[in-house]
Amino acid sequence: MNSLDLLLDKLYNTNELSRDELIYVLENLDEEHTQKLFDYARRTRDRYYGNKVYMRGLIEFSNICRMNCLYCGIRAGNSKAERYRLSEEEIFECCREGYALGYRTFVLQSGEDPWYTADRVVSIIARIKKSFPDAAITLSIGERDDDEYRAFFEAGAERYLLRHETASKSLYERLHPGASFDNRRRCLWVLKEIGYQVGAGFIVGLPGQTKQDLVEDLLFLKQLNPHMIGIGPFIPHKETPLGKEKAGTVEDTLVMVALARLLVPDCLLPATTAMGTLHPRGRELALMAGANVVMPNLSPVWARPKYELYQNKICIGEEAAHCRSCIERRINSVSMEVDMGRGDHYKFRQKRDKFA
Ligand code: SAH
């Protein structure tokens, strides 16, 4: 047994590694130990969630954004982007279609679009909750005031996705002109405090990102202990300042997925669309590295190509029903099973069961 084996065993048994140990792992992983890491990640996932993959219907309801994240195709500065907004009625229709297909979680995602005032967002949440009380609503609409987060929660949104994007302050500031590194992280703590199931996460392979930076991402996740963790590779978009940079790799992203699974063993971890974009079986590979969630697209087909965060994004031409069956085949191909339930986090599920 060499020291890499010892470290992987320690990670598997204790779900902890120090900064130096994580660096050592990243610098020394070979093919054999990568497989061992994935194996440990799968076993850890199975311990909490079995072989189920939770389905979330994703509704991309506006690509209008006041932010200017250097990597993102819908950044305010991209004047070529064709902008759109879905009305409350259109968003509701997407949910109705999704509900009929069996979805019990809707993820409402958008750029940071101030047209959706707190009142409008509350009204959308209330409308969905009224018609589909057994469905969970997840918001992914960026940084808002604490009071707004509270109002959304009270209206019935139970989950919130807000990737921290990168835990390196200097890299964050370079990539997010005018944005505050501290505020984004603060929002995550506030959301947790309010009672949301919270999703953080980061991008792998950002221009200038080092192994040390990635270790900071993992340590931040360990500290925050979120319920969900979204990890995807950087993919360039030609109408952004990073359009000519190299994409992140599938291999590096898979290693991060597996390490996140082992450090935060009970988290819900999506096999992201960006993984499926970089590799035809990218999402399946992520499931084999410890992921257990997929987020098929429920947005209207006309809107999908416009919600172009990065180039060549997959699933932009298919009807919702097609996405549902395509993804099911992929899940079964790695010996896992679709779960169309709400897919609450382990701890929240116990809470709900108690009241049931
Ligand atoms: N406005 C929301 C949603 C952002 S879009 C928010 O602020 O949270 C959802 C995610 O897409 C982002 O958090 C980011 O991690 C990812 N993303 C954006 N552009 C990307 C790119 N070029 N490559 C890979 N991921 C990207």
Side-chain angles (χ1 to χ4, degrees), residues 4 23-31 33 211:
L4 194 50
I23 295 272
Y24 185 91
V25 170
L26 288 189
E27 284 180 346
N28 292 283
L29 264 185
D30 52 18
E31 181 53 33
H33 288 92
K211 287 194 170 70

Side-chain angles (χ1 to χ4, degrees), residues 65 67 69 71-74 109-112 140-143 160-163 165 184 201-203 206 230 232-237 240 274 307 309-311:
C65 194
M67 306 301 277
C69 312
Y71 43 82
C72 186
I74 64 168
Q109 191 178 82
S110 70
E112 294 211 3
S140 177
I141 61 176
E143 291 168 53
Y160 206 103
L161 301 180
L162 186 81
R163 288 186 177 178
E165 311 295 4
R184 189 139 181 122
F202 59 101
I203 306 180
L206 286 163
F234 161 69
I235 304 177
H237 184 294
T240 65
Y307 198 82
L309 305 174
Y310 44 80
Q311 268 156 233

Side-chain angles (χ1 to χ4, degrees), residues 97 249 355:
E97 185 180 5
T249 68
F355 296 122

Side-chain angles (χ1 to χ4, degrees), residues 84-102:
Y84 74 92
R85 255 181 205 131
L86 301 190
S87 64
E88 178 175 320
E89 189 58 35
E90 287 171 309
I91 297 172
F92 181 74
E93 273 311 310
C94 295
C95 294
R96 203 204 322 256
E97 185 180 5
Y99 194 88
L101 288 167

